Amino acid sequence: MINFAVKLFFGMEYDFKSIEQKWQGNWRKSNTYKVEELDTMPKFYVLDMFPYPSGAGLHVGHPLGYIASDIYARYMKHKGYNVLHPMGYDSFGLPAEQYAIQTGQHPAITTENNINRYREQLDKIGFSYDWDREVRTSEPNYYKWTQWIFKQLFDSFYCDTDNRAKPIEELVHAFSESGNKGVKAACDEDTPQFTAEQWHAFSEYEKEDILQKYRLTFLSETWVNWCEGLGTVLANDEVKDGRSERGNFPVEQKLMKQWSMRITAYAERLLRGLDTLDWSDSIKEIQRNWIGKSKGASVTFKIEESDQSINVFTTRSDTIFGVTFMVLAPEHELVNKITRPEQKEEIEKYCQSAALKSERDRQADVKTVSGAFTGAYAIHPFTNERIPIWIGDYVLASYGSGAVMAVPCGDQRDWSFASQFGIEIKNIFNDTDISEGANEDKSAIIDHSDFLSGMTSKEATQKVIEALEEKGIGEGKINYRLRDAIFSRQRYWGEPFPIYYEDGIAKATPSNNCIELPPVDKYLPTEQGEPPLARANKDDWNIFHGERMEYNTMPGWAGSSWYFLRYMDPHNEEAFVSKEKADYWGQVDLYIGGAEHAVGHLLYSRFWTKFLCDRGFIGFDEPFKKMINQGMILGRSNFVYRINDTNSFVSFDKRKEYKCSRLHVDINLVNNDVLDIEAFKNWREEFKDAEFILNENEEYLCDFEVEKMSKSKYNVQTPDDLVEKFGADTLRMYEMFLGPLEQFKPWDTKGINGVHNFLRKFWRLVHDDENNFDIEQCEPNNEELKALHKCIKKVTEDIERHSFNTVVSTLMIAVNELNDLKSKNKTIISQLVVLISPYAPHFAEELWQRLENMDSVTLAQWPQFDEKHLQEDAFTYPVSFNGKMRFTMDLSADLSKDDIEKAVLSFEKTIQYLEGKSPKRVIIVPKKIVNIVV
RNA sequence: GCGGAUGUGGUGGAACUGGUAGACACGCUAGACUUAGGAUCUAGUGCCGCGAGGCGUGGGGGUUCGACUCCCUUCAUCCGCACCA
């Protein structure tokens, strides 16, 4: 009997479990989310940053962005757009390789398992992805095209005249016609000049060497953090105090041949393109800083008694008469050549100590000024004075030319250096004190500077550049901080390069067939320190040319730099994407993802898109028109207090009475900060006999804190648990209800009941006590129409401006209002169901079907807002005195200003608040406010 | 040091172009129904005050009839970048 009652009761409830199962099945069966290119509809492309399928699975933070984009995609579909909304996996990556090293399991298997788990989790949330378009960057049919794009880059150079990439044959043609003198193209700094005759005389090896200086992807010698112990190159942040963070092995600076991408060729376009993008200002600013454009001049200083000269870049050429010394980076190639014998020992010692420090360590210490004198002198180009040449590690080899002209009166670092080593500090500013520090203010008038004296900084800068150009010893120059991107990794689990070596020359593989990852016996470097791929024998490669294949693999960002294009045409065997499909779908209209990719992924994708556009493969040169960066969801940890040296725990509110320490406790053992004591005892063996000091309510209260979600803090919430307890629709709505998408916010399950109750309330609105669907088919009345149209208006506006959280409140208000009106009108409910469908698609489908519709709700048209239902005869005016609201007054909506004033001033409450004084001024904004100034 | 973001009840947050601060929800209080409830319903809930009333959007100042919103300044927290010549 009790069983029956319970069953009856639960049967009456909104049964999310069977509803969600039913509709997920229906969608699969009828291919509801399949997308095709249709000329009859306008297109819209909504994209999520695809995930790396990690072994830990999804936590509630991951789907946040996916839910938002899914809502927007579903909304746009209701609005009549043909919406592309795909999903895939960025499936090459270190964790799978790490796992392979430990267990010997091939990373492809680990990856496959993880992907299956992700897919299972994603499917439960009810996304509208067209899974036929799924891509995986680690699948040969995908990375075949990553390799293909690499080859296009290899076969291209950047023409500075036309400002775009062109086939390398054009360059070869130009070289054989007239050498490289007239060629304006992006190339290495050390590219020599040659004539057509010289070009023809070059050996094949020499020709290739020259071409590598122009190719958009090329081999170059690069300083890297080499870790012998791990047999690999480490990123800066993997190195701590000269040792590897992982394993604590020594790390040395080593010159290695690496593939690089000539992204610097695109610096200016990457910078200017930002202006056309609808991205957050902060991300654009980060990219601008990363590109780091600065305008200045390059100046050549002759070296005394030498045929060498030093080239410097300066942004303050106006201060050139204040130069009293030069500083070279310790790694500068001139250091050895110009150092005087008597200084040799000191310089070598200094260089050695500088080399021991990593770039990051060197940069971290801003306080200490260090340097050494080379004994050599440069000659000032205008005054012919002798200028001592120093080296110092505050000058970075990798920025500008690795040398500076030091102006101690105008640059604080130069000032500190000069003060430390007793170098002259010349004052070239009018009326400016520099005894305590440099004057970096550009407004000072230049003085003691020959032909520049009396000028402002701006005038002088211009004048100097003219003078330098006249003398042929300098020119105006634009410098970028952006460096070419290193593109090779000494790893296994990445894309192999479509490159082989013949006679020591790197050549692109001739066919477009995929170079597949060969099997290897171990996922470790060889004993000779070569990358794991060097373990593969000739026969292990599906394609093999020349002496050997390239052993490096591509970095993580290779596959993610173009994946948005593959979704458009995922099964194309002939091309990475057909021109027609790329033209049809075009740019991503809305891209949602985390801000942590601000420079990496987002800059490289922009670079590749521009390149592919230059070479005519696609028709647009920016990948992501609009982007929203979702904030991270933080965990809410719970704590218990253990009294020191005991097994007794004291409730949070009484902890101060004891000496105790705080321990993380699994959030699954805590409900609304109250500990489930029995569950806690069973949690771990050591707590089995724990004792508890409770508070006045006979409860054990836990402390809480908001921090990042992590296993070790026992604060991870998985979407699976919540879907199980409340259903996907509740989870979707709650993730949105939490707050603005972009903001960082704590995850707190407390509120999820509220959203769940809302769906149940909605369900009960259209069902009777026996859970029979129950609505009325009649003309809706004015109040019902008003509630509905208020909702249509706000939901539409809020989704359009991506204010996903406020939409949930609006839907709640509508249901509350209809509840108060006891309204279950079919017309009203039908439209409300469409409004809620982007948020709660299973729920909406079920009601839509019960409303006797044959088609899926996803095909329903978005409700049309009609102003006339909101028109009111009266308006409730807030009446303020000196800006403070005192009371409200209902007045007819069509009253004129004068009539309103009359009505308000004769109202008894007004007279009361005026206290006999007469109003100075009455401000009336019709249908807004009345403000009386006394 | 430079750059960015954030700061509103006990909590998450709302207030879009300056116009009733605290919508919506959580939590809490009281009550109703019930064998039971992580159910439902009703009422209340920014702070101070018995009250009239006063005070309130991190602090200070300004513009305005009117400021969470605009300007200046300052503090706090978080996140990037960092000797960039």
Side-chain angles (χ1 to χ4, degrees):
Chain A
M1 190 63 200
I2 289 174
N3 260 344
F4 176 69
V6 167
K7 202 174 165 193
L8 186 71
F9 175 79
F10 281 116
M12 278 194 275
E13 288 292 311
Y14 149 52
D15 183 3
F16 58 85
K17 242 180 221 168
S18 58
I19 291 173
E20 291 179 2
Q21 236 168 43
K22 167 179 161 189
W23 286 103
Q24 284 168 14
N26 284 359
W27 292 333
R28 217 181 346 257
K29 266 180 261 155
S30 40
N31 271 324
T32 304
Y33 300 118
K34 178 141 192 67
V35 186
E36 266 153 18
E37 293 71 28
L38 297 168
D39 287 330
T40 48
M41 287 163 118
K43 71 93 189 183
F44 200 88
Y45 188 175
V46 183
L47 183 66
D48 295 299
M49 285 186 186
F50 63 166
Y52 172 77
S54 82
L58 294 171
H59 66 64
V60 291
H62 292 109
L64 180 72
Y66 305 159
I67 293 168
S69 65
D70 197 56
I71 288 167
Y72 204 78
R74 286 171 181 275
Y75 166 74
M76 289 308 276
K77 191 165 179 195
H78 285 302
K79 290 289 262 188
Y81 287 85
N82 190 26
V83 179
L84 179 58
H85 185 220
M87 183 47 98
Y89 305 97
D90 189 11
S91 46
F92 273 132
L94 271 182
E97 177 157 339
Q98 214 54 41
Y99 190 73
I101 290 168
Q102 283 160 21
T103 65
Q105 174 164 277
H106 195 283
I109 298 170
T110 318
T111 304
E112 171 85 25
N113 291 343
N114 291 350
I115 285 177
N116 291 340
R117 166 125 172 78
Y118 264 59
R119 177 64 190 277
E120 221 172 88
Q121 288 185 297
L122 290 171
D123 277 348
K124 278 192 209 159
I125 305 175
F127 291 117
S128 61
Y129 297 125
D130 177 0
W131 283 106
D132 288 346
R133 291 176 182 261
E134 179 197 299
V135 301
R136 302 178 182 188
T137 56
S138 61
E139 285 292 318
N141 60 18
Y142 181 89
Y143 70 71
K144 166 186 175 177
W145 295 110
T146 310
Q147 293 173 344
W148 181 85
I149 294 172
F150 176 88
K151 284 206 283 194
Q152 304 311 308
L153 284 154
F154 185 72
D155 282 335
S156 300
F157 75 104
Y158 195 86
C159 171
D160 282 331
T161 313
D162 294 347
N163 247 311
R164 62 182 184 86
K166 291 181 177 178
I168 198 95
E169 297 90 70
E170 291 186 25
L171 191 68
V172 173
H173 181 75
F175 287 171
S176 60
E177 292 279 299
S178 47
N180 71 346
K181 198 166 183 197
V183 171
K184 278 182 73 185
C187 60
D188 291 358
E189 290 271 328
D190 61 358
T191 309
Q193 274 207 5
F194 54 85
T195 61
E197 291 71 42
Q198 284 172 303
W199 173 255
H200 290 297
F202 285 152
S203 67
E204 198 198 344
Y205 189 90
E206 285 167 326
K207 277 183 182 165
E208 182 51 36
D209 202 44
I210 294 290
L211 287 178
Q212 291 267 345
K213 296 180 188 300
Y214 288 90
R215 294 185 188 276
L216 289 184
T217 180
F218 57 100
L219 277 171
S220 66
E221 296 262 308
T222 318
W223 287 101
V224 293
N225 301 312
W226 175 252
C227 178
E228 190 71 45
L230 295 169
T232 189
V233 171
L234 299 174
N236 278 337
D237 51 290
E238 291 176 296
V239 187
K240 281 256 156 68
D241 301 321
R243 301 188 81 88
S244 65
E245 204 169 35
R246 198 159 41 84
N248 197 33
F249 296 108
V251 175
E252 56 174 318
Q253 300 295 304
K254 190 176 164 186
L255 209 51
M256 273 179 80
K257 274 240 161 147
Q258 300 265 13
W259 286 97
S260 289
M261 288 277 166
R262 206 177 295 283
I263 189 173
T264 48
Y266 282 88
E268 188 60 32
R269 278 170 67 192
L270 287 168
L271 188 65
R272 269 188 291 143
L274 289 172
D275 298 334
T276 68
L277 299 177
D278 187 1
W279 293 11
S280 78
D281 289 337
S282 63
I283 295 269
K284 287 205 238 181
E285 199 54 32
I286 290 170
Q287 291 216 348
R288 280 190 197 104
N289 290 340
W290 191 261
I291 296 166
K293 179 179 183 174
S294 53
K295 281 186 203 166
S298 79
V299 186
T300 306
F301 285 73
K302 282 212 176 91
I303 297 172
E304 193 183 57
E305 293 167 28
S306 160
D307 52 1
Q308 305 278 354
S309 57
I310 299 174
N311 192 265
V312 300
F313 173 75
T314 175
T315 52
R316 293 296 305 271
S317 51
D318 56 314
T319 62
I320 195 159
F321 286 92
V323 175
T324 56
F325 59 104
M326 315 277 295
V327 187
L328 306 181
E331 301 89 346
H332 198 285
E333 53 166 6
L334 281 178
V335 173
N336 282 331
K337 295 181 187 163
I338 63 169
T339 301
R340 292 301 165 112
E342 64 275 17
Q343 293 299 118
K344 203 122 207 153
E345 197 181 329
E346 192 190 338
I347 287 287
E348 269 170 17
K349 225 171 109 190
Y350 185 74
C351 286
Q352 269 168 20
S353 73
L356 278 179
K357 295 192 227 168
S358 72
E359 188 169 321
R360 183 158 291 199
D361 291 340
R362 238 168 83 176
Q363 291 170 7
D365 188 9
V366 187
K367 299 263 153 35
T368 352
V369 177
S370 70
F373 180 45
T374 61
Y377 289 85
I379 303 297
H380 193 284
F382 293 110
T383 65
N384 290 326
E385 280 174 294
R386 298 173 80 219
I387 309 168
I389 303 170
W390 289 68
I391 64 171
D393 67 5
Y394 80 98
V395 176
L396 304 178
S398 54
Y399 182 77
S401 61
V404 299
M405 58 172 226
V407 183
C409 63
D411 183 290
Q412 188 52 45
R413 289 157 306 165
D414 297 345
W415 191 93
S416 308
F417 195 89
S419 305
Q420 169 94 12
F421 295 109
I423 304 170
E424 183 194 2
I425 301 176
K426 258 189 208 169
N427 191 349
I428 54 150
F429 299 113
N430 195 12
D431 260 351
T432 308
D433 177 37
I434 53 153
S435 59
E436 294 301 318
N439 165 52
E440 296 188 337
D441 185 356
K442 276 195 169 182
S443 62
I445 298 293
I446 308 288
D447 207 351
H448 312 293
S449 295
D450 192 2
F451 61 98
L452 301 178
S453 296
M455 290 187 187
T456 62
S457 167
K458 208 177 162 190
E459 290 163 349
T461 304
Q462 191 49 43
K463 198 82 194 165
V464 167
I465 291 174
E466 284 167 22
L468 288 168
E469 282 174 358
E470 213 170 285
K471 294 184 88 164
I473 51 164
E475 59 187 348
K477 196 184 170 187
I478 287 165
N479 199 50
Y480 298 92
R481 197 181 79 111
L482 186 72
R483 298 178 208 168
D484 284 331
I486 299 178
F487 196 69
S488 37
R489 301 287 184 267
Q490 293 70 49
R491 310 276 186 197
Y492 179 75
W493 193 229
E495 298 87 347
F497 283 82
I499 291 288
Y500 66 96
Y501 291 86
E502 196 168 63
D503 303 326
I505 301 171
K507 294 182 177 174
T509 54
S511 81
N512 279 345
N513 292 334
C514 183
I515 315 298
E516 289 184 30
L517 267 175
V520 290
D521 58 339
K522 273 187 204 163
Y523 304 97
L524 288 169
T526 64
E527 261 104 74
Q528 293 78 44
E530 288 181 308
L533 290 194
R535 292 176 173 275
N537 298 317
K538 188 171 173 177
D539 296 341
D540 295 329
W541 293 86
N542 68 328
I543 291 172
F544 192 94
H545 297 285
E547 292 125 29
R548 69 172 179 93
M549 301 300 284
E550 171 67 56
Y551 294 148
N552 286 297
T553 53
M554 298 188 197
W557 52 270
S560 62
S561 293
W562 71 281
Y563 75 111
F564 58 95
L565 295 169
R566 189 63 181 171
Y567 284 137
M568 299 172 181
D569 197 5
H571 308 296
N572 194 331
E573 304 266 329
E574 307 304 317
F576 72 111
V577 60
S578 74
K579 188 77 198 316
E580 300 78 63
K581 294 202 174 170
D583 285 346
Y584 178 80
W585 291 111
Q587 283 178 294
V588 173
D589 295 286
L590 178 65
Y591 194 27
I592 297 186
E596 65 271 20
H597 302 288
V599 280
H601 162 59
L602 291 171
L603 200 64
Y604 299 133
S605 320
R606 293 183 59 219
F607 162 39
W608 280 31
T609 303
K610 285 181 190 304
F611 166 73
L612 292 168
C613 179
D614 284 357
R615 291 295 313 270
F617 300 118
I618 55 174
F620 48 94
D621 86 335
E622 281 291 348
F624 315 121
K625 191 155 57 177
K626 178 172 177 65
M627 182 170 55
I628 302 176
N629 302 108
Q630 91 260 19
M632 199 191 300
I633 293 193
L634 303 167
R636 189 179 187 279
S637 311
N638 275 115
F639 301 88
V640 290
Y641 286 85
R642 178 162 61 192
I643 301 171
N644 290 347
D645 307 318
T646 72
N647 203 11
S648 293
F649 294 83
V650 59
S651 181
F652 170 59
D653 33 357
K654 299 181 92 175
R655 73 193 185 285
K656 290 198 174 143
E657 299 165 26
Y658 304 88
K659 270 202 162 171
C660 37
S661 44
R662 198 167 80 145
L663 308 172
H664 272 100
V665 59
D666 192 323
I667 51 166
N668 292 308
L669 310 176
V670 181
N671 192 12
N672 287 348
D673 289 337
V674 175
L675 183 69
D676 180 337
I677 289 174
E678 282 314 305
F680 180 74
K681 282 180 170 178
N682 292 327
W683 185 35
R684 285 204 209 144
E685 188 60 27
E686 54 175 312
F687 301 140
K688 212 173 81 188
D689 303 315
E691 286 170 25
F692 301 87
I693 299 168
L694 306 179
N695 63 10
E696 286 74 23
N697 304 329
E698 295 296 304
E699 286 174 336
Y700 187 97
L701 196 64
C702 295
D703 190 8
F704 74 92
E705 198 177 301
V706 170
E707 39 188 7
K708 264 194 181 175
M709 277 196 195
S710 91
K711 259 186 184 170
S712 63
K713 290 170 180 144
Y714 305 105
N715 62 356
V716 175
Q717 278 281 353
T718 68
D720 314 56
D721 292 348
L722 295 158
V723 168
E724 179 69 23
K725 266 192 196 165
F726 299 100
D729 287 333
T730 298
L731 176 74
R732 292 169 63 102
M733 291 205 104
Y734 186 55
E735 291 229 4
M736 293 299 103
F737 190 59
L738 226 43
L741 185 59
E742 293 96 326
Q743 240 165 62
F744 278 60
K745 49 205 167 259
W747 178 260
D748 189 346
T749 30
K750 266 190 203 161
I752 200 165
N753 282 314
V755 173
H756 189 61
N757 288 344
F758 157 68
L759 287 177
R760 297 176 47 190
K761 208 184 222 174
F762 194 162
W763 184 266
R764 281 201 311 275
L765 180 67
V766 292
H767 289 83
D768 64 18
D769 292 344
E770 264 91 52
N771 202 30
N772 297 309
F773 192 64
D774 178 27
I775 48 157
E776 286 163 9
Q777 305 211 29
C778 56
E779 279 302 301
N781 65 35
N782 287 345
E783 279 166 297
E784 290 168 329
L785 284 167
K786 189 180 158 194
L788 173 71
H789 281 266
K790 228 167 58 182
C791 187
I792 296 173
K793 181 169 195 271
K794 186 145 172 64
V795 167
T796 309
E797 283 172 1
D798 286 0
I799 292 182
E800 296 270 354
R801 65 184 175 107
H802 312 110
S803 173
F804 296 103
N805 54 328
T806 50
V807 171
V808 183
S809 315
T810 306
L811 291 166
M812 286 174 170
I813 291 169
V815 168
N816 286 347
E817 283 175 352
L818 292 179
N819 231 336
D820 291 345
L821 294 169
K822 305 257 180 303
S823 163
K824 31 180 73 185
N825 182 285
K826 187 174 180 186
T827 315
I828 303 287
I829 299 296
S830 296
Q831 298 196 51
L832 201 58
V833 165
V834 180
L835 289 179
I836 203 176
S837 74
Y839 279 75
H842 315 83
F843 180 90
E845 287 279 30
E846 182 63 26
L847 292 189
W848 193 246
Q849 192 181 54
R850 291 178 185 224
L851 284 159
E852 295 164 336
N853 294 290
M854 304 309 285
D855 283 334
S856 161
V857 72
T858 58
L859 300 172
Q861 213 185 37
W862 192 251
Q864 193 72 40
F865 167 65
D866 190 341
E867 182 77 48
K868 79 173 180 226
H869 298 298
L870 298 195
Q871 265 153 21
E872 299 262 12
D873 305 335
F875 183 82
T876 306
Y877 278 92
V879 181
S880 307
F881 290 77
N882 295 330
K884 281 256 174 234
M885 209 282 284
R886 295 304 178 183
F887 56 85
T888 59
M889 220 181 142
D890 287 346
L891 292 172
S892 165
D894 48 19
L895 283 187
S896 70
K897 273 193 178 189
D898 284 350
D899 292 339
I900 296 169
E901 182 166 344
K902 258 180 232 155
V904 170
L905 289 180
S906 58
F907 193 57
E908 59 175 313
K909 277 197 176 165
T910 311
I911 295 159
Q912 184 193 319
Y913 275 98
L914 278 172
E915 292 169 330
K917 288 172 237 164
S918 59
K920 252 192 223 161
R921 211 177 138 184
V922 180
I923 285 115
I924 291 158
V925 184
K927 291 198 186 173
K928 276 267 159 69
I929 52 111
V930 175
N931 189 18
I932 299 168
V933 188
V934 186

